[in-house]
Amino acid sequence: MNKKDSGLKSERILDVAEELFALHGYDGVTMRQISTGAQVDVALANYHFGKKLDLFYAVFHRRAELLGNTRREVLRNSLEVASGQPQTLEQIIEAFLLPLKFAQESGDPGWKNYMALLAYVMTSPVWSKTLMKNNFDKHVSEFIEALKIIFPTAKEEDLHWCYHYVSGALALTLAQTGRIDRLSGGKCHSSDFDAAYQRMIPFMAAGFRAVCEK
């Protein structure tokens, strides 16, 4: 097998694993299911990635660094563009909600699978401790510091609770459960990240102001 074929098969294994983990969680997927979906032998999947746990980590890390760094860059760029003017609360929230926009505008359908996987990891007491801590939690302090500038008299615990609430809203939206489709009688679609993105910014901004502008 040449390097090109090997690389293509590795990416195919990652893509299939990403989709299955997003849909069924870690415990609901076997290496055989992944290999079958990727049309490779189980031995080849093991050769490239090792055990299922190693593959799960590889799937999560593949897009985590790009997403985390891009989010951080958007937050910093909005501060620079302000040119002496205060960065707005809406700009900070836009940077936080970048995953929604990123997934919608990317031509790669795998991003929506990754967002569902990210939601799974965010809401898991087990996976959040390792995967979120080492990939995304390290950037949270920058968002909190930006929020402190907007709300200089706010209690720090209020800022963290508000961040916690918006993280929960983001996780539920990223999960694309289809529940809003049913509840709205088809008027809303959980896969419509554009619609969610447009509404979440003013919704979250109002929540921050209600709690932190006391």
Side-chain angles (χ1 to χ4, degrees):
M1 184 189 305
N2 60 45
K3 289 184 178 180
K4 182 178 180 180
D5 288 341
S6 179
L8 290 174
K9 288 183 178 180
S10 294
E11 285 299 306
R12 200 159 70 231
I13 292 168
L14 288 168
D15 289 341
V16 171
E18 183 176 62
E19 182 177 3
L20 291 176
F21 284 138
L23 187 60
H24 302 293
Y26 177 80
D27 294 320
V29 179
T30 66
M31 287 295 284
R32 185 165 296 281
Q33 289 173 318
I34 294 169
S35 301
T36 299
Q39 299 180 327
V40 299
D41 292 333
V42 175
L44 184 64
N46 289 330
Y47 170 77
H48 281 294
F49 298 103
K51 299 177 181 178
K52 185 176 77 166
L53 180 61
D54 298 320
L55 176 56
F56 185 72
Y57 284 159
V59 168
F60 190 81
H61 291 312
R62 179 171 62 151
R63 302 184 195 266
E65 185 175 359
L66 174 61
L67 181 57
N69 289 341
T70 305
R71 206 184 212 181
R72 190 180 185 189
E73 185 178 334
V74 169
L75 180 65
R76 290 181 172 181
N77 284 346
S78 68
L79 181 59
E80 292 175 5
V81 169
S83 301
Q85 298 298 317
Q87 190 177 31
T88 68
L89 176 60
E90 283 75 12
Q91 286 175 324
I92 296 171
I93 295 173
E94 282 177 14
F96 179 75
L97 295 181
L98 180 69
L100 291 176
K101 194 165 186 175
F102 207 89
Q104 190 74 30
E105 295 182 353
S106 168
D108 179 2
W111 271 106
K112 283 204 170 182
N113 291 328
Y114 184 77
M115 294 307 152
L117 178 63
L118 178 58
Y120 167 72
V121 169
M122 285 173 70
T123 55
S124 165
V126 176
W127 299 116
S128 180
K129 286 181 181 179
T130 53
L131 295 175
M132 294 302 293
K133 179 181 179 181
N134 296 329
N135 289 281
F136 295 104
D137 287 359
K138 59 188 178 182
H139 300 310
V140 171
S141 60
E142 289 197 42
F143 282 92
I144 296 298
E145 290 305 313
L147 289 168
K148 285 181 180 178
I149 297 173
I150 301 293
F151 303 110
T153 61
K155 295 179 180 177
E156 189 161 351
E157 55 264 38
D158 285 341
L159 293 174
H160 279 281
W161 274 116
C162 286
Y163 185 89
H164 180 72
Y165 299 146
V166 298
S167 294
L170 179 61
L172 181 59
T173 304
L174 294 178
Q176 306 159 68
T177 64
R179 189 175 184 223
I180 194 173
D181 306 50
R182 298 190 301 274
L183 294 176
S184 68
K187 294 182 178 66
C188 306
H189 300 280
S190 62
S191 60
D192 188 353
F193 283 171
D194 271 343
Y197 180 78
Q198 292 166 10
R199 289 163 175 79
M200 285 175 80
I201 293 174
F203 179 83
M204 290 177 174
F208 268 107
R209 291 186 174 111
V211 174
C212 299
E213 283 186 343
K214 294 178 181 178

